[in-house]
Amino acid sequence: MAPILEVDNLSMVFGGLRAVDSLSMKINEGEIVALIGPNGAGKTTFFNCVTGVYVPTEGDVYIQAPGATERRSIKGLKPHKITEGGLARTFQNIRLFSNMSVLENVMIGHHHRLNSEVFGAVFRDKKTREEEEKVVHDSYEILKKIGLENHVNDLAKNLPYGAQRRLEIARAIGTDPFLLLLDEPAAGMNPQETKDLVDLILRIRDNEKISVLLIEHDMSLVMNLSERIYVVDYGKLIATGTPQEIKTNKEVIKAYLGEEVDA
Amino acid sequence: MKLDFFFQLLMSGLTRGSIYALIALGYTMVYGIVKLINFAHGEIYMIGAFTALIVSGVLSMYGMNPVFIFLIAITAAIIYSAAYGVTLEKIAYAPLRKAPRLSALISAIGMSMFLQNYVLLAQTSDFLPFPELLPEFGFLDPVKFIISTNQFLILVTTTVVMVLLTFFIKFSRTGKAMRATSQDRDMAQLVGININKVISITFVIGSALAAIGGVLISSHIGQINFYIGFIAGIKAFVAAVLGGIGSIPGAVLGSFVLGITESFGTGYISSDYEDAFAFVILIVILIFKPSGLLGRKVSEKV
Amino acid sequence: MFNLKELRKSFLTSLWFMFLTFPIMVIKVNTITDTVEWRWRNLAFVGVSAFILSFVWRWALDRRAKGGKAKKDGIGFKATVLAKTNQYKLPGLIGIGLLVAILPFFASMYTTSVLTTALMYVILGLGLNVVVGLGGLLHLGYAAFYAVGAYTYALLHYHFGISFWVALPLGALFSAVLGLLIGFPVLRLRGDYLAIVTLAFGEITRLVLENWNDFSFGPSGIANIARPGIAGIKMKLPQATIFIYFIAIAMVILTIFLVNRLENSRVGRAWEAMREDEIASQAMGIDLTKTKLLAFSIGAVWAGFVGVLFAAKTTFINPASFTVWESIVVLCVVVIGGMGSIPGVVVGALVFTLLPELLRSVSEYRMLVFGITLVIMMIFRPGGLIQKTRKSYKFKKEGDGE
Ligand SMILES: Nc1ncnc2c1ncn2[C@@H]1O[C@H](COP(=O)(O)OP(=O)(O)OP(=O)(O)O)[C@@H](O)[C@H]1O
Ligand SMILES: [Mg+2]
C-alpha cells in the first residue's frame, strides 16, 4: 500500500539557520508515528512546512488519501488547501478561537466541507438549514467522543488547559482528515489526563480511521503509543525505527544526553 | 534659475525630512519596544509647539532677548512634551500591555482625539502666529535664496540630535537596555532590565525629539494650530514604516526619502496632491516590501 | 482606601497634572493685542479633579485586576441575564417599533432629521462592525466607502438625472467594488499596518475628491441633489424629511436582519475565526483571502447605501464630510457600543449621535469626551456597552429520555 504522507528531503532555512535539514518521512495508513528530538530540533518547523504555514526551502511533500490512486504534491499550497487535502493539525502553543464557543470551534473545522455562502446565509434556504443542522449535530458528536460534551456553550478560553488541548484535537477532527498531526498534545497535562489522551489517540486511530503523526517530549507516551519513531536533532534525521530500536540507538542517546549535559 | 529651483526643492525636502525624522524616531522607538503605533505621538509634537508658543508669548511681554526666549521656549517644550508622553503611556497604554493590539491602538486613537480637543478647547481652533525669535544668520546671505536661517537651523539641529541619539543608544547603559528590550522583551526582563523604566525613557526621548521638531518647524512655517500634529504624525509614521519600523537608521532614511519625494512631487508634479504622496508611498512600500527599507524581515513563529 | 499613602499618591498626581496642564490650561496669549490672560481657576479645577479622579482611577484598576479572576467562573451569570432579557424582548420591541413609527408625526422636522442621522450611523456602525467586530480587521478608511455612495448618487444625478432608487444599489455596488480593490493589496497586512493603510486609502480618496475638479467639483462639492421621491411625486421638505426617516428605518431593519443572518452562518463563523486567529483559521480550512475580501466588500455595501442616503438627505455634499475623523467616529460607535454585538452597535450609534444633541450646551466637548471614552472603554470594558452574547445550543443527552 502506498504511504499516505511522503516527505522528500525537506529543508527549511531561516536566514542562516537550517531549522529542518533534508528530512524524509513516510507514513502509512493506520499508523501512529512519533517525531521526537530535543528542544529546537525543528519538529514544529517540520509540521509548519508540511501544513503550509511555511513554504519549505527545498524538498517536496506528497499526500495520497487512502483509496486514491495517485499521490500529489502539496508543497507551496496554502494551508487551507492542505487541510482540504486531508491533513489536520494542532498547535504546540494552543491556538483556539478563544472567544468562540467550544461547539463553534469544532464547527469551524467543518468549514471547508460546507457550501453555503452569502446567499445561503441571507436566505437560509432549505439546503443551508439542513447543512447547518448537520454541522451542529456532527460537531456535537465529535465533542462527545472527545469528552467535551458538557462544555458545548463555554467559551474556548474558559476551558481548563487539558480540555483546551483536547478541543484542539476535536477541531482538527472536524476537518475530516486522514492524517492528524499533533504538536505536543500532552504538554501541560497531568498523568491522568495524559493517560486519557493515550486512549483518545488510540480510539481516533481505531474508530475514526485517522492516522496520527505526533510530536511529544513525554517519552513514556511516545514509547507506549507509537509504532514507529523518527528522531531529529539540529533539523537532521538521526534515527528511525520501532520504539525498541530507538531506545537502544546510540545516536539518540547521545543527542538526548548531550542536551541534558548542556541544560 | 532652473537649478535654483532644484536646490530650493532639495533644501525644502531635506528640511521636511529632518522634521519627519525627529518625529518618526519617536514612533519607531516606541514601536520597537512596546509594539504599538503611538497614534497620539503627533499630538505630543503639537503640544510641544504650543508650549513653546505660550512660553515665548509670555516672555516677550517682559522684553527679553529673543534668542534667550527661543532657548527657554524650546527647553520648556521638551520638558512638557516628555511629561505628556510619559503620562500618556501611563494612562492609556500601560494598563493595556497584555490586551490585544487592537485595544491598545484604539486607546491611542482615543488619546489622539482627546489631546487635540483639549488644546482646541483650552486654547483656540484658529491658527496662531508663531513668533520669529531668531535673527537672520548673516553668513547665509550668499545662499539665501536656497536656504533660509530656519532651514539651516533645522538641518544642523537634526544632525546634532541624531548623532547624540546614536551614541546614546549604542553606548549608554540605558541605550543598551532599550536595544535588548526591543529584541526580546521577555529575555530582557529575565536578565534584570526594568521594563517599565525602559518604556518610560523611550517615551521621554521620543517625545522630546518630537518637541524639538515641533518648535523648529513652527518657527519655520510661522503658524500653528491644534491640528498640526495629526498630519505631521501620520507622515512621520509613514516615514518610519518606509524605513522599516523599529529601526532607528531606517526612520531617518525613510524620513529623508519621504521629505524629498514630497518636495519634488509638489514642485514638479502638482502641489494639490501634496499630502497624497506620503500615502501612496506608504501603500506601495507595504505591498512590495512590508518590512521597509532597512527593517528586518520577520516571519511569525507558529 | 483613604489612608495616608493613598492621599499622598492622589496629592502628587494632582500636583503633576497641575504642572502638566499649566501652560495650556492657564495661560492664553493673545498675539494680536500682546496681552496674556491668566486663567487660575482652571488650575484649581485641574488640581481638584485630578485629586479625585486619581482615587477613582486606582480603585477602578484595582477592581479590574480582581475582576479578571472572578469572571472565569461567572459563566452562569450571563445565562440568567440572557433568559431574563428574552422575556421582555418581544413586548419591548413592539413598544420601540410603535414609538419609532409615530415619532416623526409629533416631533419637529429638526428632531426627525437628527434621528435620521442617528439611524444612518446605526447602519454605518453595523456595516463597519462586519469588518472590525466580526472580521477583526481594523479599518480606518470607512468614510471612503461612504463617500463613494454619496458621490455615486450626486454625480449620476447631476449628469444623467438618475433617481435615488436607482442610485441606491449602484452606490452600494461601487462601494463594494472599491472594497475589493482596497482589499486585495492589503490582504497580507495585519493589525496596525492594516489600520494605517486603510487610513491612507481613505485619505487618498478624499484628496482625489478634493482636487480632481473636473470629476468631483472639488471642495465646493455638489449641490441640488434630489431628495428621494416615489413615482415621480415631488414632496415638500417636511414630507420629504419624514419620508427619508422611514427609508432610514427600513434600511436599519433590513441591515439588522442581514447582519444577524450573516453572523450566524458559515460566513460569519469564518469571519470570527479569522478575527480570533488567522493562522489557526487557515489551518482549519478557511480561505483567508476570500474571507477577508468578503468582509471588506460586504462592510462597504452598507457604507455605500448610507452614502446615497446622506447625499439625498442633505442635498449637498463635499469632501469635507468624509475625513478620517468620520471613519474614526464610526469606529467609536462600534467599539463603544460593543464590537460584534448588534444591539451594542445600535445603542452605540444612538448614544453617539443623540447624546451630543441632548447636551447641546456642552457639545463642543463631544470629541474630547469620546476620545477619553475610547481609552476608558478599552481599559475597563473592552467588550463595549452591550457585550456580545453568543448563541447557545441545546442538545438532548442520552438517558434524559425523549
Ligand atoms: N519563523 C521563524 N523564524 C526564524 N527562526 C525560526 C522560526 N521558526 C522556528 N525558528 C527556529 O528554528 C529552530 C527550530 O524550531 P522549532 O520550533 O521547529 O523546534 P522544535 O523542535 O519544535 O522545539 P520544541 O521542542 O522546543 O518545540 C529554532 O532554532 C527556532 O528558533
Ligand atoms: Mg515545537
Side-chain angles (χ1 to χ4, degrees):
Chain A
M1 206 167 37
I4 54 172
L5 176 77
E6 205 174 334
V7 180
D8 190 15
N9 282 309
L10 185 95
S11 298
M12 181 75 216
V13 182
F14 294 115
L17 174 79
R18 287 186 90 81
V20 177
D21 197 352
S22 29
L23 206 67
S24 296
M25 178 183 285
K26 274 184 188 156
I27 295 178
N28 299 310
E29 191 183 346
E31 272 190 313
I32 295 178
V33 178
L35 175 60
I36 64 171
N39 287 109
K43 306 178 295 293
T44 299
T45 306
F46 177 79
F47 266 27
N48 286 336
C49 290
V50 170
T51 55
V53 177
Y54 301 146
V55 177
T57 324
E58 289 154 32
D60 213 330
V61 183
Y62 302 93
I63 55 170
Q64 180 168 357
T69 49
E70 252 177 72
R71 65 172 197 179
R72 65 187 181 97
S73 166
I74 54 169
K75 183 190 171 184
L77 290 186
K78 289 260 182 66
H80 71 270
K81 285 281 166 203
I82 294 176
T83 307
E84 279 171 33
L87 302 192
R89 70 174 290 181
T90 65
F91 294 92
Q92 180 175 355
N93 48 341
I94 302 176
R95 302 186 80 124
L96 289 168
F97 307 122
S98 333
N99 291 303
M100 298 174 80
S101 71
V102 167
L103 187 75
E104 283 167 328
N105 267 274
V106 185
M107 285 163 75
I108 291 289
H110 288 75
H111 183 88
H112 69 90
R113 285 181 289 143
L114 309 179
N115 299 314
S116 98
E117 294 289 347
V118 173
F119 179 88
V122 169
F123 294 100
R124 277 200 197 153
D125 51 322
K126 189 150 171 276
K127 232 183 79 206
T128 307
R129 283 200 311 269
E130 284 170 1
E131 192 180 87
E132 282 294 296
E133 262 166 42
K134 189 165 160 11
V135 180
V136 171
H137 177 264
D138 291 355
S139 303
Y140 183 61
E141 289 303 313
I142 293 176
L143 285 174
K144 274 209 292 209
K145 285 173 196 153
I146 303 288
L148 287 173
E149 71 273 24
N150 291 326
H151 295 280
V152 272
N153 291 318
D154 293 356
L155 293 189
K157 67 175 175 195
N158 292 339
L159 289 184
Y161 193 78
Q164 292 196 3
R165 287 234 173 262
R166 276 185 294 149
L167 179 55
E168 277 232 342
I169 298 177
R171 187 176 70 170
I173 293 176
T175 69
D176 191 23
F178 58 79
L179 175 64
L180 192 56
L181 292 85
L182 306 176
D183 197 343
E184 301 196 13
M189 284 188 173
N190 61 34
Q192 181 56 44
E193 284 175 322
T194 308
K195 214 171 135 277
D196 293 345
L197 179 75
V198 171
D199 293 342
L200 176 64
I201 293 175
L202 286 173
R203 264 185 290 140
I204 290 173
R205 194 261 309 264
D206 298 335
N207 302 346
E208 312 298 319
K209 307 281 175 251
I210 300 174
S211 316
V212 176
L213 170 61
L214 65 106
I215 296 175
E216 194 42 73
H217 283 296
D218 181 336
M219 278 312 133
S220 73
L221 182 145
V222 169
M223 296 301 164
N224 277 334
L225 199 56
S226 47
E227 286 133 14
R228 282 192 303 124
I229 299 175
Y230 285 82
V231 190
V232 286
D233 194 14
Y234 294 109
K236 282 199 177 67
L237 186 68
I238 56 170
T240 169
T242 62
Q244 279 315 314
E245 290 164 357
I246 295 299
K247 267 185 201 160
T248 52
N249 186 301
K250 283 204 187 84
E251 287 283 326
V252 177
I253 294 166
K254 211 172 84 192
Y256 272 90
L257 283 182
E259 197 213 10
E260 256 156 41
V261 171
D262 273 345
Chain B
M1 224 36 229
K2 254 190 153 165
L3 210 60
D4 283 356
F5 185 55
F6 175 83
F7 278 110
Q8 273 168 18
L9 290 180
L10 183 66
M11 279 305 148
S12 104
L14 289 175
T15 318
R16 273 169 191 261
S18 306
I19 300 299
Y20 291 155
L22 287 172
I23 312 175
L25 283 168
Y27 278 114
T28 252
M29 287 165 60
V30 166
Y31 194 92
I33 288 181
V34 283
K35 301 285 175 286
L36 161 83
I37 297 178
N38 179 8
F39 212 86
H41 188 56
E43 269 52 68
I44 298 292
Y45 150 97
M46 178 267 295
I47 283 174
F50 261 92
T51 309
L53 179 122
I54 290 164
V55 168
S56 58
V58 172
L59 293 181
S60 53
M61 305 274 156
Y62 299 101
M64 210 188 250
N65 175 344
V67 177
F68 270 138
I69 296 183
F70 184 81
L71 292 176
I72 296 175
I74 201 165
T75 313
I78 292 173
I79 292 173
Y80 267 97
S81 284
Y84 271 94
V86 172
T87 312
L88 168 75
E89 196 274 327
K90 287 270 177 294
I91 292 178
Y93 306 149
L96 291 171
R97 283 218 193 117
K98 294 204 180 75
R101 302 259 292 272
L102 196 67
S103 305
L105 186 59
I106 291 172
S107 179
I109 292 173
M111 262 306 171
S112 168
M113 279 166 87
F114 177 81
L115 289 174
Q116 269 183 36
N117 286 277
Y118 155 70
V119 173
L120 173 124
L121 293 168
Q123 294 286 320
T124 168
S125 63
D126 301 331
F127 269 100
L128 294 175
F130 200 89
E132 254 183 67
L133 296 166
L134 296 172
E136 298 286 315
F137 294 159
F139 63 89
L140 285 175
D141 271 352
V143 286
K144 216 166 141 184
F145 52 92
I146 295 176
I147 181 168
S148 72
T149 299
N150 270 311
Q151 285 179 321
F152 177 76
L153 198 68
I154 289 173
L155 292 178
V156 172
T157 316
T158 310
T159 316
V160 171
V161 167
M162 299 290 150
V163 171
L164 289 179
L165 183 70
T166 312
F167 274 100
F168 175 77
I169 303 261
K170 272 241 157 77
F171 301 114
S172 76
R173 250 185 93 82
T174 318
K176 282 178 192 159
M178 285 168 73
R179 274 187 296 154
T181 311
S182 108
Q183 291 268 324
D184 189 335
R185 190 151 103 194
D186 298 333
M187 204 59 193
Q189 205 147 18
L190 277 180
V191 299
I193 291 173
N194 180 345
I195 302 290
N196 285 328
K197 202 174 127 197
V198 168
I199 292 176
S200 295
I201 291 174
T202 310
F203 273 84
V204 165
I205 297 175
S207 308
L209 295 177
I212 298 175
V215 177
L216 290 175
I217 194 70
S218 303
S219 71
H220 175 49
I221 291 174
Q223 57 172 10
I224 61 173
N225 80 346
F226 73 97
Y227 201 60
I228 57 167
F230 187 70
I231 292 291
I234 296 261
K235 288 192 182 167
F237 175 74
V238 170
V241 172
L242 185 58
I245 196 144
S247 149
I248 289 180
V252 178
L253 179 67
S255 300
F256 282 108
V257 170
L258 180 65
I260 289 171
T261 314
E262 274 194 345
S263 175
F264 281 104
T266 44
Y268 288 122
I269 302 173
S270 158
S271 61
D272 288 343
Y273 288 95
E274 185 185 335
D275 292 336
F277 292 112
F279 295 129
V280 173
I281 292 178
L282 174 74
I283 291 168
V284 172
I285 288 287
L286 283 182
I287 292 167
F288 292 106
K289 203 165 183 323
S291 48
L293 296 171
L294 301 183
R296 280 178 298 156
K297 188 167 181 262
V298 277
S299 51
E300 190 183 349
K301 278 196 193 178
V302 176
Chain C
M1 178 95 223
F2 290 99
N3 56 27
L4 215 59
K5 216 173 118 208
E6 295 290 320
L7 281 174
R8 211 181 82 114
K9 259 191 201 163
S10 283
F11 181 67
L12 290 178
T13 312
S14 161
L15 276 187
W16 174 253
F17 275 93
M18 274 153 63
F19 159 74
L20 208 58
T21 54
F22 179 71
I24 287 172
M25 291 281 282
V26 177
I27 312 174
K28 190 165 183 178
V29 181
N30 189 327
T31 39
I32 298 161
T33 57
D34 258 338
T35 48
V36 178
E37 192 188 330
W38 299 87
R39 299 167 296 179
W40 294 108
R41 268 176 53 193
N42 284 352
L43 190 67
F45 169 74
V46 169
V48 172
S49 342
F51 186 78
I52 297 167
L53 287 178
S54 116
F55 275 111
V56 178
W57 179 255
R58 284 197 308 267
W59 171 78
L61 277 183
D62 216 42
R63 219 182 72 129
R64 181 181 82 145
K66 282 183 197 136
K69 279 171 222 137
K71 221 176 236 161
K72 265 189 190 135
D73 37 45
I75 304 160
F77 172 71
K78 238 185 203 156
T80 51
V81 171
L82 197 69
K84 273 223 181 91
T85 45
N86 264 340
Q87 182 185 337
Y88 300 112
K89 219 172 173 177
L90 195 64
L93 275 182
I94 294 174
I96 293 173
L98 274 177
L99 185 69
V100 160
I102 55 171
L103 205 66
F105 300 106
F106 296 100
S108 69
M109 216 165 82
Y110 177 77
T111 311
T112 312
S113 167
V114 168
L115 285 175
T116 311
T117 307
L119 293 171
M120 281 165 38
Y121 276 98
V122 170
I123 307 170
L124 285 175
L126 288 170
L128 185 63
N129 178 46
V130 168
V131 189
V132 181
L134 295 180
L137 306 163
L138 187 53
H139 190 340
L140 293 180
Y142 201 55
F145 300 124
Y146 183 34
V148 168
Y151 272 89
T152 301
Y153 180 38
L155 289 172
L156 288 179
H157 179 263
Y158 178 88
H159 292 295
F160 310 108
I162 295 262
S163 82
F164 171 82
W165 298 107
V166 178
L168 202 57
L170 284 180
L173 180 71
F174 290 154
S175 186
V177 170
L178 182 74
L180 281 182
L181 287 182
I182 291 184
F184 260 115
V186 302
L187 275 175
R188 284 197 303 164
L189 304 176
R190 252 180 240 164
D192 320 342
Y193 281 101
L194 180 76
I196 219 82
V197 167
T198 48
L199 187 153
F201 268 115
E203 282 298 271
I204 291 174
T205 311
R206 186 181 60 82
L207 287 165
V208 167
L209 291 175
E210 209 148 81
N211 292 300
W212 192 4
N213 289 324
D214 298 338
F215 170 70
S216 65
F217 304 95
S220 50
I222 303 169
N224 290 326
I225 306 165
R227 294 197 177 80
I230 339 173
I233 304 168
K234 276 238 162 186
M235 276 182 263
K236 293 217 184 62
L237 185 56
Q239 281 87 41
T241 309
I242 294 179
F243 186 48
I244 293 177
Y245 170 83
F246 280 109
I247 295 178
I249 292 276
M251 278 167 61
V252 167
I253 293 172
L254 187 69
T255 306
I256 292 178
F257 172 78
L258 290 176
V259 172
N260 182 38
R261 286 245 154 144
L262 282 171
E263 200 179 313
N264 293 305
S265 73
R266 172 175 178 262
V267 178
R269 275 199 305 272
W271 282 334
E272 287 199 275
M274 168 171 88
R275 175 195 68 204
E276 293 296 309
D277 191 325
E278 289 198 355
I279 288 177
S281 67
Q282 269 186 304
M284 291 306 121
I286 287 174
D287 183 346
L288 218 49
T289 309
K290 200 172 116 187
T291 310
K292 259 190 201 176
L293 288 179
L294 200 61
F296 266 114
S297 48
I298 297 255
V301 163
W302 278 288
F305 278 134
V306 180
V308 175
L309 191 64
F310 174 75
K313 175 175 179 279
T314 55
T315 72
F316 165 75
I317 56 164
N318 72 353
S321 307
F322 309 105
T323 60
V324 197
W325 294 105
E326 193 58 35
S327 305
I328 290 181
V329 164
V330 184
L331 180 70
C332 291
V333 162
V334 176
V335 170
I336 292 179
M339 270 194 268
S341 144
I342 294 177
V345 174
V346 173
V347 169
L350 296 180
V351 166
F352 231 83
T353 39
L354 299 184
L355 214 55
E357 287 294 331
L358 296 177
L359 310 170
R360 292 226 98 197
S361 54
V362 291
S363 67
E364 54 197 288
Y365 294 101
R366 190 178 115 131
M367 293 306 254
L368 188 84
V369 173
F370 288 156
I372 202 70
T373 309
L374 279 188
V375 178
I376 291 172
M377 282 301 235
M378 283 303 106
I379 298 173
F380 299 109
R381 208 176 158 81
L385 287 173
I386 302 185
Q387 310 205 345
K388 179 171 177 148
T389 40
R390 300 208 72 83
K391 186 173 172 183
S392 67
Y393 298 83
K394 280 216 178 74
F395 297 94
K396 285 205 187 79
K397 298 228 173 78
E398 282 128 86
D400 271 10
E402 306 269 312

